Each structure stands twice: as C-alpha cells, then as structure tokens.
Amino acid sequence: MRFRMDSFYHLHLYICIVFCSVSQCFTNQVKADQTAQIIVNASNAVGRSIPETLFGIFFEEINHAGAGGLWAELVSNRGFEAGGPHAPSNIDPWSNIGDEVYVNISTERSSCFARNIVALRMDVLCNSSGPNICPDGGVGVYNPGFWGMNIKKGKTYKVIFYVKSSGSLNLSVSLTGSSGVPILATANVIASASDVSNWTKMEVLLEAEDTNHNSRIQLTTTLKGVIWLDQVSVMPLDTYKGHGFRTDLFEMLTELKPRFLRFPGGCFVEGEWLRNAFRWKETVGPWEERPGHFGDVWMYWTDDGLGYFEFLQLAEDLGAAPIWVINNGISHNDEVNTSSILPFVQEALDSIEFARGSSDSKWGALRASMGHLEPFDLRYVAVGNEDCNKKHYLGNYLNFYSAIKQAYPDIGIITNCDGSSQPLDHPADFYDYHVYTSASDLFSRNHKFDTASRSGPKAFVSEYAVTGNDAGQGSLLAALAEAAFLLGIERNSDIVSMASYAPLFVNSNNRRWNPDSIVFNSSHVYGTPSYWMQQFFTESSGATLLDTTLQTNSSSLVASAISWKSSMDNKNYIRIKVVNIGSNSIELKIYVRGLDPNSISGSSKTVLTSNKVMDENSFAQPRKVIPVQSPLEAADNVLDVVLSPYSFISFDFLRQSSSLKSH
Ligand code: AHR
C-alpha cells in the first residue's frame, strides 16, 4: 500500500488510532500481529551532526588481549623475568630439554640489561663425545609461547636472542611441534669462544616448512660448557606494516572502523597494588630493555612488548584518536596522598611530551628514536579508571587537570566521576560512564541519556556490555540489548561523544572476563554477536542523525536513522536501524519522507539474528550468528517489512544527490 506523502500524516494518525485500539484487544491472542511504523525525515537540514568520534574501541591488557594476542610476539616471558628481578626467577613457560644428568637450568642476575637483570644459565654437562654423551637432538630449553605458537608453512620468523658462552657455541634454534617433533624450521648458530665471551645479539630468520598451530621454539646444543641466554624473541615477519600487530586480529579491528582507541585499561592501569600498575616509562625504548611487569588484576605477566609507543602506533594505524588512560596514583588497594601526587603528575606530563613533543624535547626525542619522528595526535587523556569514589581521587584529579590544561590546553580531560545524573563538582571535558548489566536493564538504558544534562561535560561511555546469564560467552540476546543501548546513544549524541564495548579481546585459553567482543587462540579468531552488532554502527561517527519517529504497540523496538556520504564511493546513503528484542515478529512500515522514490536504488537490508536468542558463535561455528545482507525488494520510500523475533536489522538506501525534496 502506498500513500502520497502530503496526505500520509492524516491518514497515518487515523490508522494509528484504529490500529492501536484494535491491537490492544488482540495482543494476547495473536502474537504475530504487532505492528509499527517509522517515519524518517531524510532532510539533513533538520538532522543533527553526530560526533566524528562517536564509536571506537577500548583495548585493555586483559584475557591476554595483547601479550599472546594482538602483539604478535610468540615467546612468553622472553627475558626470564616473570618472577621479577629476583633469582631464582619464574621462568614459566620455559622448560628444559634433557634431564639433570645432562643439563642444569637456573637463573642469575647477570644480564647485560640493567632494567631486566635476570638471565637464564644452562650448565651443559654432556658432550658430543666422551663419558656423558648428550641425547639425540641435544639438550637445552624450549618455550611453547602462549598455549602453542602458530607456525605457518612458507612464513618467515625472526628469532632474536642474546647469548654468552664459556666456550665456543653451537646452538640449534628450531621451531618444532609441541613435543619437539616435527622440526618445522631450524638453523645452527655457531660462534667461536671469543665471539661470545660477552653478551652478543644473534638474529636468525627461519622459514617454516610446514604448518603447526601448537608449536614451540627450542634452543639446544651438544657442546659441554655454560651458556647464558636472555631476551629470546620470535616474531612473524608479516605483522601489520611491520609494526608488530597480529594481522588477523588487527583486521578484526579495522572492520569496526574505530574512531578512537582507549588504552591500556581498565583495571590494568590501576593494578591491585600501585607497584604492579602500568608505568609507561617502563614500556618504551628498545624492547630488550623493558623490564615487563606482572598485571596483578588480571594475574599474568607481560613483557610489555605492546607498550605505550605501540599503543599510540596502533591508534595511528587504525586511524583512531588515542585516548590515554593515566594512572593517577590510585590502585585498587593503595593510594598516593594528594600532597605527594606531583611525581605522578610529572610522569603524566612526560607521557604527553613523549606523544606530542618535538623530537628536540627530552621525551619526544625518545619517541623519535623509536622510529616516529612526527608527534602522535594525542588529544584525550583520562585521569584514572573507576576511581571517583576513592579517598584521594578528587584531590589528585585536580592536580592532573590543572597541570595538563596549563601545558596542553587543547587536550580533552576525562574524569572518572559520572556526570549523567548530577552536575560534577570539578572541571572536566568529558565524564566516564561504565555499565555492565542484564539484557533487560541495558535495553531500558537506551533512554539513559534522554534526561541527562545538556550543559556541562559530555559523556564518554567507555565500557558497556551485557554480562551474566544473559550474555554467556557472547549471546545474540546480549548483542540485541547492546544495539538498543547504542541506538539511544546515537539519538543522544549531542551529549554523548564516545562509546566503546568492553572488553575487546579474549584469548580462549585465559578467559578472565566474559563475554568479550573478539575471541581468538593462536591460530583462529571469531567475533561474538556483540562484535557483529558494532559493525552496524561503523558509518555512524560523523554522520547526520535524521529526525525519526517510531510508533508502535510493541515495547521491544528501538530505532534510529542516519545519513552519510561514503568515503569509498562518494555516494550518499541512509541507514535505518531497528532492534526487535521481543519474541514476536513485527510488521514494520517505513516511511522515508522527503525522498523522491525514483531516486532510490541499490538498497539492501542486513539482519543479525539466529534460531535461538541465546545462540553464540564458537571456533566450531564462528559464523552462526553474523549479519546477513540481502537486496531490498521494491526499494522505495514506503516500505513494508517484517522484523523477525530477536533481530537487529538495518535498511540501507542509496540516494541520488538530487533526491531531496524541499519542504
Ligand atoms: O572491562 C573489564 C573491567 O571492567 C575493566 O578493567 C574495568 O574498568 C571495569 O571494571
């Protein structure tokens, strides 16, 4: 059924009155006949600009998201430092090859690197001849990486290690299966005693002859003597732009088109105790010299290969604005008094100079020496994470705020205190808002910002997700409630400037937090329904929010509409997004006002749904719940569609430039 646009409103009112009263009578008997209509005014002139930064990502070093994840380093605990600067140290997951009759493995504080002083010592007791002959294949150590290394046929791996020896050296460096066989790639590193009597850097390129997702590196010898090893690294050559990011995981991020990257946490920034918090100065400079640290909130060691510099590089590579979360002298269990906070403030100022300073400045020079001569585009800083109620937060915050504003007036500062329900008692450019809750609660929070103050700082929803029973390890139900919440954010993007799901990544071998957006192991990756849900919003940042009215007798619907110009083909599009979180199908009539029907072409619809609302993706079925796109039949400015139960649907219309009528 088609209406002429000018008469449509009167008719619509009439239909609505009849329809509403009739449908009330039948709601309980006829489940399928819920109906709705959405009226979209296609005119950008009555729309509102959505912030360029609205949707982005939040990367936290949690669930081995970085170490053993996005950071492509394959060796875990490469400097034997996981026990801290003590000897004996914790060398896990390193292990010996050959028993104590043949080889003795210990640690010593004898490294050439002052900030990570622990080195591995191997006393090789056997020899290639004589009374104690080494076993076949030799003796030594191996490292299985993060639950097995993914070694792929034809790919090249750069192995770097530092070595010292009491005599001449003949070391086999091999990538092998998990038990030492098969050998996938191997090389012998041979040196005279005088060449390795002091610490020496060795570099070997290994090309794999076969594929094995559960491999290890081993360093073995059959020569008696003492060998010291330190900073053993295995990096695939094919990381993104050679910047060290695992390519398959990086691609998952680019497909979200994130406009900002909040990093490096979360609780990871705070630590359970300040001594284990993220301290940026210990994560920059040559990787070999970084001490690494034990993240005591998520309970694992990181070598900090993915350090402050690499996070800034990641943001730049993604085309995302970096949002640097600074430790403000507060952890989960201890706090620095405001009277003693200045060293922390100085550390924050130094970090900004590192990112933005000229290469003549002290910290800018360090950045330049790491290969990034030009400043990074750092424009946002968050002071702490979830610390608003801590005793010294306000005092500490004010010190950070005034020092940063004085030195860098253009930097947007984010407070931990929620300004959505009451005005803040301190200055800020943005306030942080986190929400982890049930599906029904998050769904209802699509109205959360409808009533928030329109003056004062803007909201940064830096962590949101459905958690608990409704979410499992990433359900369709969770994704639908999150979609509704984001539609509310889109609608309120006059006061919400940024939003990101949390957490981003989980290595399935170390699920510290459920659910997450992207699940991976050494070789495979998939997106949860929440990941795919976010792809519906990739065009929203910087788009125009269109004036939209949704009329329905169903309480399970939320909708919004945007228009944008694609940078790919320079064409103009309209996208209408609708969530139906209910168990009924709903007949929806879409009216796009102000659009010449003849000028619409190339329209499509994309649906995220599944047979059961608690369906999840998995390694076995990675694409069970993903968006499915199809052409829209009879693309027109009046459209009858059926929204299936538990679905998130977008309708994309391509419009010609002359298509907008004047009003
Ligand atoms: O996203 C997981 C954790 O949830 C974050 O570290 C913290 O900010 C929040 O409590």
Side-chain angles (χ1 to χ4, degrees):
M1 185 176 177
R2 290 272 311 275
F3 306 111
R4 279 190 49 228
M5 278 301 177
D6 40 7
S7 58
F8 137 73
Y9 280 103
H10 305 285
L11 200 50
H12 149 250
L13 203 64
Y14 169 71
I15 289 171
C16 189
I17 292 164
V18 173
F19 151 80
C20 293
S21 46
V22 170
S23 67
Q24 298 241 314
C25 311
F26 287 99
T27 325
N28 296 330
Q29 293 109 14
V30 189
K31 275 186 135 192
D33 72 352
Q34 291 191 332
T35 57
Q37 60 183 11
I38 184 166
I39 305 146
V40 176
N41 187 334
S43 165
N44 285 343
V46 294
R48 180 170 33 76
S49 295
I50 295 175
E52 293 285 346
T53 52
L54 189 59
F55 294 117
I57 53 177
F58 162 43
F59 182 100
E60 171 156 26
E61 183 57 89
I62 180 174
N63 306 319
H64 280 273
L70 183 62
W71 189 244
E73 172 63 68
L74 293 173
V75 177
S76 172
N77 192 12
R78 62 188 173 195
F80 311 99
E81 224 75 29
H86 313 287
S89 184
N90 172 5
I91 64 166
D92 182 66
W94 288 94
S95 229
N96 55 311
I97 299 173
D99 62 34
E100 60 272 18
V101 178
Y102 302 115
V103 65
N104 230 315
I105 306 291
S106 57
T107 52
E108 274 186 4
R109 291 169 50 84
S110 60
S111 169
C112 51
F113 300 112
R115 290 203 295 178
N116 46 18
I117 200 68
V118 176
L120 188 84
R121 177 183 169 130
M122 290 199 308
D123 287 88
V124 180
L125 310 174
C126 60
N127 215 337
S128 50
S129 60
N132 187 6
I133 295 183
C134 293
D136 279 354
V139 297
V141 284
Y142 71 87
N143 186 303
F146 302 89
W147 303 280
M149 298 179 181
N150 183 30
I151 301 299
K152 292 203 259 181
K153 185 177 177 176
K155 297 271 182 196
T156 304
Y157 300 83
K158 187 195 272 187
V159 182
I160 294 178
F161 61 96
Y162 288 75
V163 66
K164 197 172 81 163
S165 177
S166 61
S168 59
L169 183 76
N170 188 340
L171 202 61
S172 294
V173 179
S174 314
L175 297 170
T176 74
S178 60
S179 60
V181 285
I183 292 175
L184 306 165
T186 190
N188 273 8
V189 175
I190 298 171
S192 66
S194 59
D195 281 348
V196 285
S197 59
N198 287 316
W199 281 106
T200 308
K201 181 180 183 177
M202 299 290 182
E203 196 169 314
V204 182
L205 290 181
L206 293 179
E207 186 182 325
E209 285 167 11
D210 214 339
T211 294
N212 188 320
H213 302 318
N214 189 18
S215 309
R216 70 190 204 186
I217 181 168
Q218 55 182 49
L219 300 109
T220 53
T221 187
T222 54
L223 271 191
K224 188 172 177 181
V226 184
I227 296 172
W228 290 263
L229 290 170
D230 203 4
Q231 299 302 332
V232 184
S233 162
V234 181
M235 269 295 218
L237 281 194
D238 69 337
T239 62
Y240 180 78
K241 280 190 180 172
H243 288 167
F245 308 120
R246 187 174 136 178
T247 49
D248 56 343
L249 301 187
F250 185 87
E251 274 162 26
M252 293 293 280
L253 300 185
T254 56
E255 281 166 27
L256 291 179
K257 300 188 186 170
R259 294 300 184 92
F260 66 81
L261 169 72
R262 176 181 184 242
F263 69 89
C267 299
F268 179 71
V269 169
E270 305 167 83
E272 282 300 328
W273 298 95
L274 277 171
R275 64 173 179 273
N276 293 320
F278 182 85
R279 307 304 287 268
W280 75 270
K281 286 184 184 171
E282 307 207 325
T283 73
V284 292
W287 59 266
E288 300 95 320
E289 295 174 16
R290 301 181 193 178
H293 80 286
F294 181 70
D296 63 351
V297 176
W298 308 122
M299 298 297 284
Y300 59 90
W301 174 262
T302 158
D303 292 319
D304 285 326
L306 181 55
Y308 180 51
F309 175 92
E310 289 77 16
F311 280 117
L312 292 166
Q313 184 66 64
L314 175 63
E316 184 175 276
D317 287 347
L318 290 168
I323 300 182
W324 164 219
V325 184
I326 288 174
N327 182 298
N328 61 328
I330 297 179
S331 78
H332 286 180
N333 294 299
D334 51 355
E335 299 185 33
V336 174
N337 278 338
T338 300
S339 56
S340 313
I341 198 63
L342 287 185
F344 278 74
V345 174
Q346 189 55 51
E347 196 160 306
L349 291 173
D350 292 346
S351 75
I352 301 172
E353 182 180 291
F354 177 91
R356 299 192 10 167
S358 82
S359 52
D360 295 336
S361 63
K362 177 177 173 193
W363 293 105
L366 177 56
R367 180 202 68 237
S369 76
M370 293 178 72
H372 204 283
L373 202 61
E374 294 304 316
F376 286 108
D377 187 20
L378 178 65
R379 281 177 284 133
Y380 305 96
V381 161
V383 180
N385 175 67
E386 295 184 344
D387 292 329
C388 181
N389 295 325
K390 301 279 173 56
K391 187 171 171 203
H392 297 296
Y393 183 72
L394 186 58
N396 291 4
Y397 173 88
L398 290 171
N399 276 276
F400 281 89
Y401 183 88
S402 56
I404 294 171
K405 277 290 176 198
Q406 194 181 353
Y408 303 96
D410 65 304
I411 285 201
I413 299 183
I414 302 156
T415 172
N416 287 177
C417 301
D418 177 5
S420 63
S421 343
Q422 57 187 47
L424 294 176
D425 60 358
H426 55 274
D429 298 298
F430 305 91
Y431 61 86
D432 207 351
Y433 178 84
H434 295 181
V435 56
Y436 296 101
T437 186
S438 65
S440 60
D441 186 48
L442 196 64
F443 180 85
S444 69
R445 289 193 201 212
N446 81 80
H447 293 297
K448 163 72 196 164
F449 293 96
D450 293 358
T451 51
S453 164
R454 262 44 204 173
S455 60
K458 311 240 175 193
F460 176 18
V461 181
S462 72
E463 300 182 25
Y464 72 86
V466 171
T467 49
N469 291 342
D470 289 347
Q473 293 190 337
S475 66
L476 172 64
L477 177 63
L480 297 176
E482 289 153 6
F485 180 64
L486 290 195
L487 293 177
I489 280 182
E490 229 173 54
R491 210 174 52 237
N492 285 289
S493 55
D494 56 326
I495 52 153
V496 183
S497 289
M498 298 177 270
S500 44
Y501 179 92
L504 184 59
F505 280 121
V506 61
N507 184 319
S508 60
N509 294 290
N510 184 240
R511 282 183 185 272
R512 298 290 312 194
W513 186 287
N514 268 324
D516 307 272
S517 188
I518 300 168
V519 186
F520 64 89
N521 57 23
S522 77
S523 51
H524 289 78
V525 57
Y526 67 85
T528 58
S530 297
Y531 170 82
W532 293 108
M533 174 281 297
Q534 292 172 66
Q535 287 209 3
F536 284 69
F537 293 86
T538 50
E539 308 303 339
S540 296
S541 306
T544 301
L545 181 77
L546 296 177
D547 182 48
T548 302
T549 309
L550 176 68
Q551 290 161 329
T552 177
N553 62 338
S554 164
S555 55
S556 63
L557 284 192
V558 184
S560 83
I562 60 164
S563 80
W564 82 99
K565 184 178 219 160
S566 162
S567 55
M568 306 287 282
D569 59 11
N570 237 9
K571 291 182 175 159
N572 293 297
Y573 291 86
I574 289 177
R575 175 171 294 171
I576 300 168
K577 299 190 282 295
V578 190
V579 176
N580 176 14
I581 206 168
S583 56
N584 294 337
S585 32
I586 297 179
E587 288 172 12
L588 174 72
K589 192 175 277 293
I590 299 175
Y591 299 96
V592 184
R593 208 179 138 205
L595 213 53
D596 177 352
N598 300 323
S599 68
I600 304 174
S601 62
S603 305
S604 65
K605 90 171 176 185
T606 308
V607 186
L608 181 70
T609 190
S610 193
N611 292 337
K612 297 195 196 103
V613 72
M614 290 309 291
D615 276 354
E616 300 186 357
N617 292 329
S618 61
F619 286 118
Q621 290 183 288
R623 301 178 76 78
K624 184 173 181 177
V625 191
I626 61 164
V628 177
Q629 196 184 45
S630 56
L632 257 187
E633 285 162 31
D636 205 341
N637 58 356
V638 182
L639 206 64
D640 289 302
V641 292
V642 175
L643 306 173
S644 39
Y646 303 123
S647 62
F648 183 29
I649 309 189
S650 77
F651 304 94
D652 281 4
F653 302 90
L654 169 63
R655 69 182 188 190
Q656 319 295 337
S657 50
S658 61
S659 66
L660 213 56
K661 285 181 177 175
S662 52
H663 299 284

